[in-house]
Amino acid sequence: MAKGDMYLAQASDEAILKRGEYGGAVTALLKFALDSGVVDAVLGVKKRDGNNRYDAVLDLITDPKKVIDCTGSLHCVSLNIARNVKEYLDGAKRMRIAVPCKPCDARAIIEIAKRKQINLDNLLLVGLNCTGTLPPVVAKAMLIGEYEVDPKEVVMEDIEGRTLIISLADGTKIANDLLELETKGYGRRDNCRRCNVNIPTMADIACGKWGVKEGEKKTFTEVCSDKGAEFIDNAIKTGVIKVEQPGKDAIAERKRKDREAIELSSKCEAEDLKELRELSLDDRLAYWLHLFDRCIKCFSCRDACPICYCKKCFLEPDRGYVKGGEVPPDRMFHLTRLAHDGDSCVNCGQCQDACPAEIPLTRLYLMLNIKLSQMFDYVSGMNIEQKPPLIAAKDEEASIDDINHFN
Amino acid sequence: MSEEVKVEFEPRIIGFTCNWCTYAAADLAGTARMKYPPNIRLIRQMCSGRVDPLFVLKVFLRGADGVFIGGCHPGECHYMTGNLSARRRYSMMKKLLESVGIDPKRMRMEWISASEGIKFSDTIKEFTAQIKELGPGPFRHIETGGKEQK
């Protein structure tokens, strides 16, 4: 077994198989991780009060029997997993944790691990394919307004290509065009529209439904690291999951769907940023300053950002960069954040979710990040070995005289 | 009642210069009596790598029209790789300024060694002319209360 291997996996446990939407492989693997002692805990995502799909909580599970409670994907929540691991689990420095995560969560974890705030060796990243999440309040309004259903009756949401399919408790499925919903102000989160990382190959294993035939209860699983390979190997040997090799058509199908999703995201990106890109410099500055003036300096964006980690933050008034007690804050506030995180932003959208003034921060960060990614040939959160570009000056560069070498 | 006199726009440029090279070059330019515009105010740093991107932002936000950074040629940094880091930050800042809508041409970095007094004076002449052409910086009014004319 090695990196790059792919399987169609299915849980052997009957109860998990029944609960899981696609064969329960992820749940079975997480349970196995706990059972076998590979990890001390699983950081699962659970519906609040057991039934609220629009508000989920993170749960640090140490009892293997309880892993089954976090089965199923929730599209209407997007928890700040990286920040929680760093902040409240001591960066996984003292315990080994299995973390089921979306691509942006995995990237954020890797990016903050580069800054030594999380010990990646202690984490088992179980990546889950993702083509976007929905903001819960908007999702509820959409379900009532567009789907004409009671949000409480929804048992599953699913994004399939360009359609958003809602399944109800009685088995009915309603599908609507995703892009149409988004032009009406519903649909996915702002940043998710433009996200082009759907398969979390930066995690230890990447699980998803792409490449699985309609109606088949299986999970397409790709092994993405040596740690993941060893783990899957043991899981198969123990028999907690049943695997089969995916056919060539299944692999091609998965690739095709990924490519389609990426095409869709670049279309959305071009659409969303077109206006901003076409503005003259003066107008663009006026646009952002106007938005920055809505800021109430609640520090939510900083507190939510999985990349921010300074113990002594530049934005605190005692540092002299931003005066205390001023609303809106000095323009330095947002520009400082941009200068500090722009190169490593993983487009997770947590800052924008947290912003009470609804400043479209992800657009600002993405616009800069796209340019920096090209310039430094660096995609944030993909590879733990690759240092953030601003601190990665190499000795070879000493022989390059051109001051505009990167530009 | 005095008639308002139209003053030509005189840019205010802040220059962050490395102690080991560009600052010495400015010194050399001075002792050699080379002329360069007085629009630049130099702030000596121990290395161009000391120039935090926040310095640049703060300088612009406080009303400067341009920012200049002078560092040692690659391979000649007193601290080995300070200037290489500075180049990366400079490249990042250019994109950042463009993203938020400040003309990246208002920022310039050059390698100027301690012996290059001429290059220093030429660069400053050129940069000042460029800023004059671009006009007052976007935040100039903050400091001057909008009184200054173009």
Side-chain angles (χ1 to χ4, degrees), chain A residues 1 7 9 29 32 223 229-244:
Chain A
M1 192 135 337
Y7 301 95
L29 286 172
F32 169 71
V223 179
E230 195 191 328
F231 174 65
I232 292 275
D233 210 10
N234 288 335
I236 294 171
K237 270 188 208 145
T238 332
V240 292
I241 50 168
K242 284 182 264 179
V243 293
E244 56 182 89

PDB file of all heavy atoms in Angstrom, chain A residues 1 7 9 29 32 223 229-244:
ATOM      1  N   MET A   1       0.842  -1.207   0.000  1.00  0.00           N
ATOM      2  CA  MET A   1       0.000   0.000   0.000  1.00  0.00           C
ATOM      3  C   MET A   1       0.877   1.257   0.000  1.00  0.00           C
ATOM      4  O   MET A   1       1.850   1.322   0.708  1.00  0.00           O
ATOM      5  CB  MET A   1      -0.838  -0.004   1.264  1.00  0.00           C
ATOM      6  CG  MET A   1      -1.893   1.003   1.199  1.00  0.00           C
ATOM      7  SD  MET A   1      -3.440   0.351   1.741  1.00  0.00           S
ATOM      8  CE  MET A   1      -3.278  -1.406   1.522  1.00  0.00           C
ATOM      9  N   TYR A   7      -9.237   3.315  -3.419  1.00  0.00           N
ATOM     10  CA  TYR A   7     -10.141   2.217  -3.084  1.00  0.00           C
ATOM     11  C   TYR A   7     -11.578   2.680  -3.102  1.00  0.00           C
ATOM     12  O   TYR A   7     -11.865   3.858  -2.911  1.00  0.00           O
ATOM     13  CB  TYR A   7      -9.859   1.694  -1.669  1.00  0.00           C
ATOM     14  CG  TYR A   7      -8.468   1.211  -1.482  1.00  0.00           C
ATOM     15  CD1 TYR A   7      -7.496   2.050  -0.956  1.00  0.00           C
ATOM     16  CD2 TYR A   7      -8.124  -0.078  -1.843  1.00  0.00           C
ATOM     17  CE1 TYR A   7      -6.192   1.619  -0.811  1.00  0.00           C
ATOM     18  CE2 TYR A   7      -6.823  -0.522  -1.694  1.00  0.00           C
ATOM     19  CZ  TYR A   7      -5.870   0.326  -1.182  1.00  0.00           C
ATOM     20  OH  TYR A   7      -4.605  -0.113  -1.038  1.00  0.00           O
ATOM     21  N   ALA A   9     -14.365   1.994  -0.625  1.00  0.00           N
ATOM     22  CA  ALA A   9     -14.427   1.404   0.710  1.00  0.00           C
ATOM     23  C   ALA A   9     -15.847   1.424   1.268  1.00  0.00           C
ATOM     24  O   ALA A   9     -16.665   2.263   0.907  1.00  0.00           O
ATOM     25  CB  ALA A   9     -13.486   2.146   1.643  1.00  0.00           C
ATOM     26  N   LEU A  29     -13.560   4.170   9.679  1.00  0.00           N
ATOM     27  CA  LEU A  29     -12.126   4.460   9.812  1.00  0.00           C
ATOM     28  C   LEU A  29     -11.838   5.250  11.085  1.00  0.00           C
ATOM     29  O   LEU A  29     -10.859   4.986  11.786  1.00  0.00           O
ATOM     30  CB  LEU A  29     -11.625   5.229   8.588  1.00  0.00           C
ATOM     31  CG  LEU A  29     -11.473   4.415   7.303  1.00  0.00           C
ATOM     32  CD1 LEU A  29     -11.152   5.322   6.129  1.00  0.00           C
ATOM     33  CD2 LEU A  29     -10.385   3.364   7.463  1.00  0.00           C
ATOM     34  N   PHE A  32     -12.133   2.977  13.949  1.00  0.00           N
ATOM     35  CA  PHE A  32     -10.967   2.090  13.976  1.00  0.00           C
ATOM     36  C   PHE A  32      -9.740   2.820  14.531  1.00  0.00           C
ATOM     37  O   PHE A  32      -8.957   2.252  15.295  1.00  0.00           O
ATOM     38  CB  PHE A  32     -10.679   1.564  12.570  1.00  0.00           C
ATOM     39  CG  PHE A  32      -9.355   0.862  12.458  1.00  0.00           C
ATOM     40  CD1 PHE A  32      -9.172  -0.373  13.054  1.00  0.00           C
ATOM     41  CD2 PHE A  32      -8.295   1.447  11.780  1.00  0.00           C
ATOM     42  CE1 PHE A  32      -7.945  -1.014  12.960  1.00  0.00           C
ATOM     43  CE2 PHE A  32      -7.072   0.814  11.691  1.00  0.00           C
ATOM     44  CZ  PHE A  32      -6.893  -0.427  12.288  1.00  0.00           C
ATOM     45  N   VAL A 223      -5.422   7.333  -0.841  1.00  0.00           N
ATOM     46  CA  VAL A 223      -4.369   7.423   0.165  1.00  0.00           C
ATOM     47  C   VAL A 223      -3.418   8.548  -0.244  1.00  0.00           C
ATOM     48  O   VAL A 223      -2.906   8.541  -1.360  1.00  0.00           O
ATOM     49  CB  VAL A 223      -3.606   6.088   0.280  1.00  0.00           C
ATOM     50  CG1 VAL A 223      -2.499   6.198   1.300  1.00  0.00           C
ATOM     51  CG2 VAL A 223      -4.564   4.969   0.640  1.00  0.00           C
ATOM     52  N   ALA A 229      -1.366   5.703   4.391  1.00  0.00           N
ATOM     53  CA  ALA A 229      -1.216   4.372   3.804  1.00  0.00           C
ATOM     54  C   ALA A 229      -1.144   3.305   4.886  1.00  0.00           C
ATOM     55  O   ALA A 229      -1.821   2.279   4.823  1.00  0.00           O
ATOM     56  CB  ALA A 229       0.046   4.339   2.941  1.00  0.00           C
ATOM     57  N   GLU A 230      -0.353   3.606   5.913  1.00  0.00           N
ATOM     58  CA  GLU A 230      -0.197   2.643   7.006  1.00  0.00           C
ATOM     59  C   GLU A 230      -1.530   2.431   7.720  1.00  0.00           C
ATOM     60  O   GLU A 230      -1.920   1.307   8.050  1.00  0.00           O
ATOM     61  CB  GLU A 230       0.855   3.181   7.981  1.00  0.00           C
ATOM     62  CG  GLU A 230       1.370   2.145   8.953  1.00  0.00           C
ATOM     63  CD  GLU A 230       2.201   2.784  10.047  1.00  0.00           C
ATOM     64  OE1 GLU A 230       2.868   3.810   9.765  1.00  0.00           O
ATOM     65  OE2 GLU A 230       2.159   2.268  11.168  1.00  0.00           O
ATOM     66  N   PHE A 231      -2.221   3.530   7.910  1.00  0.00           N
ATOM     67  CA  PHE A 231      -3.503   3.481   8.612  1.00  0.00           C
ATOM     68  C   PHE A 231      -4.535   2.654   7.845  1.00  0.00           C
ATOM     69  O   PHE A 231      -5.187   1.760   8.387  1.00  0.00           O
ATOM     70  CB  PHE A 231      -3.997   4.922   8.830  1.00  0.00           C
ATOM     71  CG  PHE A 231      -5.371   5.017   9.411  1.00  0.00           C
ATOM     72  CD1 PHE A 231      -5.632   4.542  10.690  1.00  0.00           C
ATOM     73  CD2 PHE A 231      -6.412   5.578   8.680  1.00  0.00           C
ATOM     74  CE1 PHE A 231      -6.903   4.632  11.234  1.00  0.00           C
ATOM     75  CE2 PHE A 231      -7.678   5.670   9.210  1.00  0.00           C
ATOM     76  CZ  PHE A 231      -7.929   5.188  10.487  1.00  0.00           C
ATOM     77  N   ILE A 232      -4.657   2.938   6.545  1.00  0.00           N
ATOM     78  CA  ILE A 232      -5.629   2.215   5.725  1.00  0.00           C
ATOM     79  C   ILE A 232      -5.245   0.729   5.648  1.00  0.00           C
ATOM     80  O   ILE A 232      -6.094  -0.159   5.727  1.00  0.00           O
ATOM     81  CB  ILE A 232      -5.668   2.816   4.299  1.00  0.00           C
ATOM     82  CG1 ILE A 232      -6.249   4.225   4.333  1.00  0.00           C
ATOM     83  CG2 ILE A 232      -6.460   1.933   3.353  1.00  0.00           C
ATOM     84  CD1 ILE A 232      -7.740   4.309   4.295  1.00  0.00           C
ATOM     85  N   ASP A 233      -3.970   0.485   5.536  1.00  0.00           N
ATOM     86  CA  ASP A 233      -3.461  -0.882   5.489  1.00  0.00           C
ATOM     87  C   ASP A 233      -3.958  -1.677   6.697  1.00  0.00           C
ATOM     88  O   ASP A 233      -4.513  -2.775   6.573  1.00  0.00           O
ATOM     89  CB  ASP A 233      -1.922  -0.812   5.493  1.00  0.00           C
ATOM     90  CG  ASP A 233      -1.311  -1.968   4.746  1.00  0.00           C
ATOM     91  OD1 ASP A 233      -2.081  -2.690   4.075  1.00  0.00           O
ATOM     92  OD2 ASP A 233      -0.089  -2.131   4.815  1.00  0.00           O
ATOM     93  N   ASN A 234      -3.768  -1.093   7.886  1.00  0.00           N
ATOM     94  CA  ASN A 234      -4.197  -1.750   9.121  1.00  0.00           C
ATOM     95  C   ASN A 234      -5.709  -1.908   9.158  1.00  0.00           C
ATOM     96  O   ASN A 234      -6.221  -2.917   9.622  1.00  0.00           O
ATOM     97  CB  ASN A 234      -3.737  -0.945  10.339  1.00  0.00           C
ATOM     98  CG  ASN A 234      -2.240  -1.072  10.537  1.00  0.00           C
ATOM     99  OD1 ASN A 234      -1.645  -2.056  10.101  1.00  0.00           O
ATOM    100  ND2 ASN A 234      -1.639  -0.077  11.158  1.00  0.00           N
ATOM    101  N   ALA A 235      -6.413  -0.878   8.671  1.00  0.00           N
ATOM    102  CA  ALA A 235      -7.875  -0.932   8.701  1.00  0.00           C
ATOM    103  C   ALA A 235      -8.383  -2.074   7.825  1.00  0.00           C
ATOM    104  O   ALA A 235      -9.320  -2.777   8.188  1.00  0.00           O
ATOM    105  CB  ALA A 235      -8.458   0.400   8.225  1.00  0.00           C
ATOM    106  N   ILE A 236      -7.733  -2.264   6.695  1.00  0.00           N
ATOM    107  CA  ILE A 236      -8.166  -3.336   5.791  1.00  0.00           C
ATOM    108  C   ILE A 236      -7.823  -4.696   6.410  1.00  0.00           C
ATOM    109  O   ILE A 236      -8.632  -5.616   6.412  1.00  0.00           O
ATOM    110  CB  ILE A 236      -7.491  -3.185   4.404  1.00  0.00           C
ATOM    111  CG1 ILE A 236      -7.983  -1.900   3.736  1.00  0.00           C
ATOM    112  CG2 ILE A 236      -7.815  -4.384   3.527  1.00  0.00           C
ATOM    113  CD1 ILE A 236      -7.234  -1.524   2.477  1.00  0.00           C
ATOM    114  N   LYS A 237      -6.631  -4.803   6.984  1.00  0.00           N
ATOM    115  CA  LYS A 237      -6.206  -6.066   7.606  1.00  0.00           C
ATOM    116  C   LYS A 237      -7.138  -6.461   8.740  1.00  0.00           C
ATOM    117  O   LYS A 237      -7.477  -7.619   8.902  1.00  0.00           O
ATOM    118  CB  LYS A 237      -4.782  -5.907   8.148  1.00  0.00           C
ATOM    119  CG  LYS A 237      -3.722  -6.281   7.115  1.00  0.00           C
ATOM    120  CD  LYS A 237      -2.359  -6.299   7.745  1.00  0.00           C
ATOM    121  CE  LYS A 237      -1.288  -5.984   6.711  1.00  0.00           C
ATOM    122  NZ  LYS A 237      -0.188  -5.200   7.286  1.00  0.00           N
ATOM    123  N   THR A 238      -7.543  -5.477   9.535  1.00  0.00           N
ATOM    124  CA  THR A 238      -8.432  -5.758  10.660  1.00  0.00           C
ATOM    125  C   THR A 238      -9.844  -6.053  10.166  1.00  0.00           C
ATOM    126  O   THR A 238     -10.657  -6.593  10.902  1.00  0.00           O
ATOM    127  CB  THR A 238      -8.468  -4.561  11.626  1.00  0.00           C
ATOM    128  OG1 THR A 238      -7.241  -3.870  11.526  1.00  0.00           O
ATOM    129  CG2 THR A 238      -8.706  -4.980  13.047  1.00  0.00           C
ATOM    130  N   GLY A 239     -10.125  -5.622   8.981  1.00  0.00           N
ATOM    131  CA  GLY A 239     -11.441  -5.914   8.422  1.00  0.00           C
ATOM    132  C   GLY A 239     -12.539  -4.923   8.780  1.00  0.00           C
ATOM    133  O   GLY A 239     -13.709  -5.223   8.644  1.00  0.00           O
ATOM    134  N   VAL A 240     -12.176  -3.735   9.263  1.00  0.00           N
ATOM    135  CA  VAL A 240     -13.228  -2.763   9.594  1.00  0.00           C
ATOM    136  C   VAL A 240     -13.830  -2.149   8.335  1.00  0.00           C
ATOM    137  O   VAL A 240     -14.963  -1.692   8.339  1.00  0.00           O
ATOM    138  CB  VAL A 240     -12.745  -1.639  10.531  1.00  0.00           C
ATOM    139  CG1 VAL A 240     -12.425  -2.181  11.900  1.00  0.00           C
ATOM    140  CG2 VAL A 240     -11.576  -0.896   9.939  1.00  0.00           C
ATOM    141  N   ILE A 241     -13.042  -2.138   7.264  1.00  0.00           N
ATOM    142  CA  ILE A 241     -13.628  -1.705   6.002  1.00  0.00           C
ATOM    143  C   ILE A 241     -13.376  -2.782   4.947  1.00  0.00           C
ATOM    144  O   ILE A 241     -12.367  -3.482   4.987  1.00  0.00           O
ATOM    145  CB  ILE A 241     -13.057  -0.345   5.497  1.00  0.00           C
ATOM    146  CG1 ILE A 241     -11.528  -0.349   5.507  1.00  0.00           C
ATOM    147  CG2 ILE A 241     -13.602   0.813   6.281  1.00  0.00           C
ATOM    148  CD1 ILE A 241     -10.909   0.822   4.762  1.00  0.00           C
ATOM    149  N   LYS A 242     -14.338  -2.885   4.050  1.00  0.00           N
ATOM    150  CA  LYS A 242     -14.166  -3.780   2.907  1.00  0.00           C
ATOM    151  C   LYS A 242     -13.801  -2.905   1.726  1.00  0.00           C
ATOM    152  O   LYS A 242     -14.434  -1.872   1.509  1.00  0.00           O
ATOM    153  CB  LYS A 242     -15.463  -4.515   2.618  1.00  0.00           C
ATOM    154  CG  LYS A 242     -15.735  -5.648   3.601  1.00  0.00           C
ATOM    155  CD  LYS A 242     -17.003  -6.381   3.234  1.00  0.00           C
ATOM    156  CE  LYS A 242     -18.156  -5.823   4.040  1.00  0.00           C
ATOM    157  NZ  LYS A 242     -19.450  -6.389   3.816  1.00  0.00           N
ATOM    158  N   VAL A 243     -12.779  -3.307   1.018  1.00  0.00           N
ATOM    159  CA  VAL A 243     -12.388  -2.448  -0.099  1.00  0.00           C
ATOM    160  C   VAL A 243     -12.373  -3.222  -1.407  1.00  0.00           C
ATOM    161  O   VAL A 243     -12.247  -4.446  -1.429  1.00  0.00           O
ATOM    162  CB  VAL A 243     -10.987  -1.826   0.109  1.00  0.00           C
ATOM    163  CG1 VAL A 243     -10.991  -0.857   1.247  1.00  0.00           C
ATOM    164  CG2 VAL A 243      -9.935  -2.901   0.301  1.00  0.00           C
ATOM    165  N   GLU A 244     -12.514  -2.497  -2.466  1.00  0.00           N
ATOM    166  CA  GLU A 244     -12.292  -3.058  -3.795  1.00  0.00           C
ATOM    167  C   GLU A 244     -11.594  -1.994  -4.628  1.00  0.00           C
ATOM    168  O   GLU A 244     -11.661  -0.806  -4.317  1.00  0.00           O
ATOM    169  CB  GLU A 244     -13.605  -3.474  -4.440  1.00  0.00           C
ATOM    170  CG  GLU A 244     -14.619  -2.353  -4.525  1.00  0.00           C
ATOM    171  CD  GLU A 244     -15.934  -2.821  -5.128  1.00  0.00           C
ATOM    172  OE1 GLU A 244     -16.811  -3.284  -4.374  1.00  0.00           O
ATOM    173  OE2 GLU A 244     -16.051  -2.711  -6.349  1.00  0.00           O
TER     174      GLU A 244
END
